[in-house]
Amino acid sequence: MTTHKIALIPGDGIGTAVTEAAVAVARAAGAVLETTTFPWSCDHYLQTGKMMPEDGIETLRGFDAIFLGAVGWPAKVPDSVSLHGLLLPIRKAFVQYANIRPHRLLPGVEGPLKTRDFDILCIRENTEGEYSGAGGRVHVGTPDEVAVETSIFTRAGVERIIRFGFEQAMRRRGKLASVTKSNAQKYSMVFWDEITDRLAAEYPQVEVTHYHIDAMCARMVMAPESLDVVVASNLFGDILTDLGAAIQGGLGFAASANINPDRSAPSMFEPVHGSAPDIAHLGIANPMAAIWSVAMMLDHLGEAATAARIMAAMEAVTAQGIGTVPGRDKTDDITKAVLAALEGKA
């Protein structure tokens, strides 16, 4: 069997627990993983002044994939430091421009909506846009202080993420929803709309619909079953996928992949939920999002059958009501249930 070299960055808070659970499930499902753990985190920052070493990116470059648990501990380190010191540099350095987040209800999970019949794949631009980091502050601390944050949208960046969205729609139900706010942002978002329309001519099989971000938020609540693939900018995709997590039962089920589509560098996989400092010491973190993320990682690495086994085990466990209510079940108990399901003992 193929051995995959995986860089593990458990990070902060519950990241350590859910990473351990995800790796255990991957190995039990048959994946052969050669893992190396890196202690890069807010604690590492407090000890060294850096979220990761100067050669961190080059160190990670030699791995087949990166698995990240969680980053952030605002009481210790500002989020603006932890995010820009670890997560965003990895995404940008390895051109992981496609952030993929699936939203659907697992069996036995009760979402807040009337319907269960939805399966949405959100595609978020991951390396530029509103999170480009272009801007600055002057006259800091004075009445004349000015802060400027500039969004950067390049033709190459916008075209490749929208094309990626079209390709995903071709593999699914043939529907693509492109999300902007072009009625208010008449440069960047009109630019996005124009590129979407131009690319649509290359994919006549795909039904394309344009939505403004506010209208899309309403549609995800009122008619999520009408959506298939949703593609959006960095900021809008970030917002929509938290809403997607809510309608699928909570952040404990929200998985994600940061993909380098041409595979010229490693991709990174992570649960969406963050470090959750308030529950980090309680042992009640739901590992389902991390387990789902590790399944996405294995699928990306060519282990589709192993990924499918993991998803089937998760669904068998949630169908029994295990891990479906936030905070009710221990992390270890949920993990043990998934491992038992993999062994056919569920």
Side-chain angles (χ1 to χ4, degrees):
M1 298 182 67
T2 301
T3 299
H4 303 288
K5 292 179 59 180
I6 309 299
L8 300 181
I9 308 176
D12 299 297
I14 65 173
T16 299
V18 299
T19 298
E20 182 179 330
V23 171
V25 168
R27 286 181 167 142
V32 181
L33 306 180
E34 178 185 320
T35 60
T36 302
T37 301
F38 297 95
W40 305 338
S41 62
C42 288
D43 283 339
H44 184 81
Y45 177 85
L46 294 174
Q47 295 166 12
T48 68
K50 297 283 186 180
M51 288 296 296
M52 64 177 169
E54 294 291 344
D55 63 351
I57 293 298
E58 289 310 308
T59 298
L60 294 175
R61 194 176 295 277
F63 288 87
D64 298 319
I66 304 159
F67 192 84
L68 176 70
V71 175
W73 198 290
K76 299 178 180 180
V77 178
D79 284 339
S80 57
V81 172
S82 59
L83 186 68
H84 286 272
L86 184 62
L87 185 61
L88 294 186
I90 292 172
R91 288 175 174 173
K92 293 175 182 178
F94 294 144
V95 200
Q96 297 168 351
Y97 66 81
N99 183 271
I100 304 174
R101 300 186 180 183
H103 302 297
R104 62 181 177 88
L105 281 170
L106 296 177
V109 178
E110 291 296 327
L113 304 183
K114 296 177 182 178
T115 181
R116 297 187 58 85
D117 186 24
F118 62 88
D119 181 0
I120 304 170
L121 188 68
C122 279
I123 308 296
R124 166 188 169 190
E125 201 290 315
N126 213 29
T127 58
E128 55 176 50
E130 304 89 347
Y131 294 177
S132 297
R137 294 169 63 178
V138 296
H139 310 304
V140 177
T142 75
D144 299 317
E145 184 170 359
V146 176
V148 176
E149 192 90 31
T150 303
S151 299
I152 304 295
F153 290 86
T154 66
R155 179 170 292 277
V158 174
E159 181 171 312
R160 69 189 180 187
I161 194 63
I162 295 174
R163 186 179 297 279
F164 187 86
F166 272 109
E167 294 292 338
Q168 296 303 307
M170 289 281 288
R171 297 185 180 97
R172 287 170 52 94
R173 301 191 302 278
K175 297 170 63 177
L176 179 71
S178 178
V179 182
T180 65
K181 189 61 177 171
S182 52
N183 56 343
Q185 295 175 282
K186 63 180 182 179
Y187 301 117
S188 60
M189 296 286 95
V190 170
F191 178 60
W192 182 290
D193 284 344
E194 290 173 353
I195 292 176
T196 301
D197 288 338
R198 182 173 61 78
L199 288 178
E202 300 180 28
Y203 298 90
Q205 310 94 319
V206 176
E207 176 188 340
V208 182
T209 309
H210 295 273
Y211 292 94
H212 292 147
I213 178 65
D214 43 354
M216 175 54 75
C217 287
R219 178 161 288 272
M220 286 182 70
V221 172
M222 300 302 294
E225 70 282 353
S226 68
L227 299 168
D228 181 16
V229 176
V230 175
V231 63
S233 70
N234 214 331
L235 174 62
F236 291 167
D238 196 359
I239 294 168
L240 288 175
T241 50
D242 266 24
L243 177 55
I247 67 175
Q248 74 180 117
L251 286 170
F253 302 101
S256 77
N258 304 278
I259 299 296
N260 174 309
D262 68 11
R263 300 174 184 264
S264 59
S267 294
M268 179 168 61
F269 302 80
E270 55 172 324
V272 174
H273 50 57
S275 62
D278 57 327
I279 65 167
H281 62 294
L282 299 178
I284 57 172
N286 191 338
M288 288 298 191
I291 294 170
W292 195 335
S293 298
V294 91
M296 295 176 74
M297 180 183 77
L298 292 172
D299 186 65
H300 177 76
L301 293 172
E303 303 281 359
T306 305
R309 286 191 67 209
I310 292 172
M311 292 304 301
M314 287 176 55
E315 292 175 351
V317 167
T318 58
Q320 300 174 55
I322 301 171
T324 59
V325 177
R328 185 184 64 189
D329 301 312
K330 295 288 188 179
T331 308
D332 288 347
D333 292 337
I334 299 170
T335 306
K336 288 175 183 176
V338 176
L339 293 173
L342 283 169
E343 295 174 3
K345 298 177 182 179

